[in-house]
Amino acid sequence: MKKEDQDITLLETDVSSNKDFKKDSYKTTNVNILLNRVRLDKKRSFKKRIIISFFLVTIITALTVYFIV
């Protein structure tokens, strides 16, 4: 004689495990990783601004020296 209750519970556990698998498959990102990325982007943009301003000051100084002398 078969136990019908056992068959039903096995089927229900398979469905529930599939639901858990679907939930776990979503990709999540840690907030600290995002904040660190923003900080690094700010540092990079600040370095770029410093380098560009240094080159502009150098070019302006070179041109004024050339035209004065």
Side-chain angles (χ1 to χ4, degrees), residues 33-48:
I33 294 173
L34 294 174
L35 289 174
N36 287 336
R37 188 178 301 163
V38 169
R39 288 182 191 134
L40 287 175
D41 287 342
K42 284 183 179 181
K43 284 182 183 179
R44 286 182 194 142
S45 65
F46 183 69
K47 286 180 183 179
K48 285 180 185 179

Side-chain angles (χ1 to χ4, degrees), residues 5-17:
D5 292 339
Q6 189 176 13
D7 292 335
I8 292 172
T9 57
L10 287 176
L11 290 174
E12 288 176 2
T13 57
D14 289 340
V15 171
S16 66
S17 68

Side-chain angles (χ1 to χ4, degrees), residues 5-67:
D5 292 339
Q6 189 176 13
D7 292 335
I8 292 172
T9 57
L10 287 176
L11 290 174
E12 288 176 2
T13 57
D14 289 340
V15 171
S16 66
S17 68
N18 285 339
K19 287 180 182 178
D20 291 338
F21 179 71
K22 288 180 182 179
K23 288 179 184 177
D24 291 338
S25 67
Y26 292 120
K27 228 177 185 179
T28 60
T29 305
N30 193 355
V31 175
N32 289 329
I33 294 173
L34 294 174
L35 289 174
N36 287 336
R37 188 178 301 163
V38 169
R39 288 182 191 134
L40 287 175
D41 287 342
K42 284 183 179 181
K43 284 182 183 179
R44 286 182 194 142
S45 65
F46 183 69
K47 286 180 183 179
K48 285 180 185 179
R49 288 180 187 162
I50 288 177
I51 291 172
I52 289 173
S53 63
F54 176 73
F55 282 126
L56 285 175
V57 168
T58 305
I59 289 172
I60 291 172
T61 306
L63 288 174
T64 54
V65 168
Y66 177 74
F67 284 120

